[in-house]
Each structure stands twice: as structure tokens, then as C-alpha cells.
Amino acid sequence: MPSEARLRAIIAAALPDAELVLHKPLEGGVSADVTMLELAFADGTRRKCVLREQGERHGGNPAQLEFETLKALHALGLPVPRPRSFGEGGPGLPFVLIDYVEGTTHIPKAETQTRIATMADQLAAFHAASTGTFPDLPLRTDPQPELLDFLAAEPGWTELRQWVQRVGPQPFRGATCVLHGDYWPLNVIWQGSTIAAVIDWEDAALGDPVSDVACAMLEMRYAFGLEGANHFLDAYTRHRHVDPVRLAWWQAYVAASGVKSMGGWGLDAEREAHMRAIAMQCVADAARTILQ
């Protein structure tokens, strides 16, 4: 957690008419430190903001990209936090300052199916957004290059990896969409049964919407089982077609990526074993579809 002196320095640079009243850490996932700030402004008003300090895995200027992505999404009326500022929080620690959105990420068990469908509807709405106002985001259009790297993590995937190499690139040939890149339940804030905001856009890209669908389906499978993943897909396909073979390529991509990297996510041993088993099964399921 950043020191209070450092927080005050960041606020002075980003919002010079504001003073820090209080601060507390929030859960921010693997790649960002997240702090809730309560600020007092010169006009007498108070506002809660969130400071997201991004880790070192992102190159370029990730804070500016996230800020500009949120700005474009917010201008389109989509449910994201309003961005306030961005900059350098210190050496190697870019930050984004956004409005705090009240709500919860908890999904009541009795409403699981309805909420999954609402999340699918919302992802389709993001994918339908005009990309003309977005910054120069990374492109995510071909699963093959990184998939080869991910498949190298497990000796049992050697045959699939060799097959993927022989088949070659799988470029996306449709119109690119804005992609969230990490669409899962803990990045969705609810107010009642309504999505108030989708957060954590640091992995945003332009590219194949099926990559987002595959990522979301794996997260649904972790949390709600295969039935939850299939329910998400059924709801999403009410809005746009998803080619099953293309989906299998991206499912192999996201699941193999998870197997390779989840050891660094800070999971407890039981949770990691559960997720690793699901991801391994997802790769096997995708491989059967791809190899048909």
C-alpha cells in the first residue's frame, strides 16, 4: 500500500483542488494496487475516488491507455467508472484515478443464471461500441502465436502444440471490437440487479470479440461450473454469432495461459488445484473441437 505522503503527492499533482481525507486499500487482483480515497474539494464537496497503480508487466504507457479507454467508454454512456486523471505514481508505477462506484461484486445464488445472462448482454454491448474514439490499443486478433508459448508449459500438450504450428496463423477477419480482456465476476459492480460499472480495463485491446467470450466462459466455469459457462455463451449468442471452432481456439488460448501463469496469482493451494484442473480440461475440450 502506498504511503500517505505519496498519496498526497499524487493527489496534489492530479487534482490540485482536492485534499486527502482518508484512504484504505481495496482488493485489486494480481497486477494492480488499488486504494480507495475520500477527497475534500475546494468548493466544499467530497468525492470518493479509486487510485489504481499498475504493475510492471505492462509496457508503454498503460495508465494513459486505460484512462483514454475509460474516457471513450464513459462518453458512449457505457457503465464504467468516470476517469479523473492518470500519471506516474513513482518509478515504474503508472496510475489511473477514477470515480469510486458504490455496489457489490457478489452474485446471489438464487440470481446466478439471471446475472450471468446480464453479464453476457453487457459484454455484447461493449463489443457493439463504435471503435472510432478509442486510443491506439493493442491488437488481439490471432490466438496462435501466444498459444504456442502457453502450450509449451505442459509436456502433455506437445502434440497439440505441434499441430498448431503446422496449421499456422488464425487471423480474425471481421471488424475489430473493443475488448475488456479480463471480463469476470469480480470486475463487475452491481447495484441491485443492474450492472453499475465494469472495472479494470488495463488489459483492453481491439480485436476478436470471441477472445473476450472465451475468457468470460472460463471464469464462469471456475465460479459456476460448465453449466454457467454454457449459459453465458447462450446469452451472448442472442446478440452475435460465435463460431464454435474459433471459440475453441480462444478457449485453448485463455485456459493454457491460465495454467502457465496462475501459480503467480496468490491463490490458496485448494483453489489453485481446482482452477488448474478446470483449465486443463478446457484445453482438452478445445483441442477435441480444433482437431476435428
Side-chain angles (χ1 to χ4, degrees):
M1 179 177 173
S3 68
E4 183 167 320
R6 187 152 164 270
L7 290 174
R8 291 186 183 280
I10 290 172
I11 294 163
L15 298 173
D17 62 335
E19 290 189 3
L20 181 66
V21 176
L22 60 86
H23 60 93
K24 68 176 182 179
L26 300 174
E27 292 185 5
V30 176
S31 60
D33 291 327
V34 187
T35 308
M36 192 277 286
L37 312 174
E38 186 171 341
L39 306 176
F41 288 82
D43 62 3
T45 60
R46 289 196 176 195
R47 181 187 307 136
K48 290 181 181 178
C49 290
V50 173
L51 178 72
R52 283 178 37 80
E53 294 183 284
Q54 298 166 335
E56 297 177 356
R57 70 183 179 91
H58 295 278
N61 193 341
Q64 183 175 358
L65 283 180
E66 185 171 2
F67 176 85
E68 292 179 354
T69 299
L70 286 170
K71 185 177 178 181
L73 291 164
H74 191 269
L76 291 171
L78 291 163
V80 297
R82 180 178 177 180
R84 294 291 176 177
S85 187
F86 70 91
E88 294 293 329
L93 286 174
F95 73 84
V96 179
L97 193 64
I98 60 177
D99 280 358
Y100 177 81
V101 179
E102 299 285 352
T104 178
T105 59
H106 173 68
I107 295 179
K109 188 173 182 179
E111 299 178 22
T112 299
Q113 296 295 299
T114 302
R115 298 288 184 98
I116 289 174
T118 301
M119 284 185 63
D121 294 342
Q122 185 60 69
L123 185 62
F126 284 126
H127 290 166
S130 170
T131 59
T133 58
F134 285 93
D136 187 17
L137 292 167
L139 290 177
R140 189 172 300 129
T141 58
D142 184 356
Q144 194 247 30
E146 287 180 285
L147 176 57
L148 287 170
D149 178 52
F150 300 150
L151 290 175
E154 292 290 327
W157 292 339
T158 299
E159 183 179 354
L160 177 59
R161 187 175 190 273
Q162 290 172 343
W163 186 90
V164 170
Q165 276 181 306
R166 289 196 300 271
V167 170
Q170 299 291 307
F172 179 56
R173 305 190 188 283
T176 59
C177 301
V178 64
L179 308 175
H180 182 276
D182 192 20
Y183 195 69
W184 70 304
L186 290 188
N187 280 341
V188 177
I189 298 175
W190 299 87
Q191 292 176 356
S193 59
T194 300
I195 294 177
V198 175
I199 60 174
D200 291 5
W201 286 82
E202 66 181 1
D203 292 314
L206 295 175
D208 184 351
V210 179
S211 67
D212 259 358
V213 174
C215 177
M217 287 181 66
L218 181 59
E219 294 293 346
M220 296 301 164
R221 193 164 175 175
Y222 289 150
F224 309 115
L226 184 58
E227 180 183 358
N230 289 336
H231 186 61
F232 184 94
L233 178 61
D234 289 343
Y236 182 89
T237 54
R238 293 198 300 257
H239 302 277
R240 58 196 308 154
H241 172 71
V242 174
D243 176 75
V245 176
R246 187 76 183 169
L247 177 61
W249 275 94
W250 283 112
Q251 286 177 317
Y253 173 99
V254 297
S257 170
V259 170
K260 182 178 180 181
S261 60
M262 69 175 62
W265 295 351
L267 303 169
D268 64 66
E270 183 178 357
R271 179 63 177 166
E272 182 175 337
H274 167 76
M275 291 173 60
R276 188 174 295 274
I278 289 174
M280 294 285 287
Q281 184 61 55
C282 187
V283 173
D285 294 344
R288 279 194 293 273
T289 300
I290 291 169
L291 294 171
Q292 283 179 354

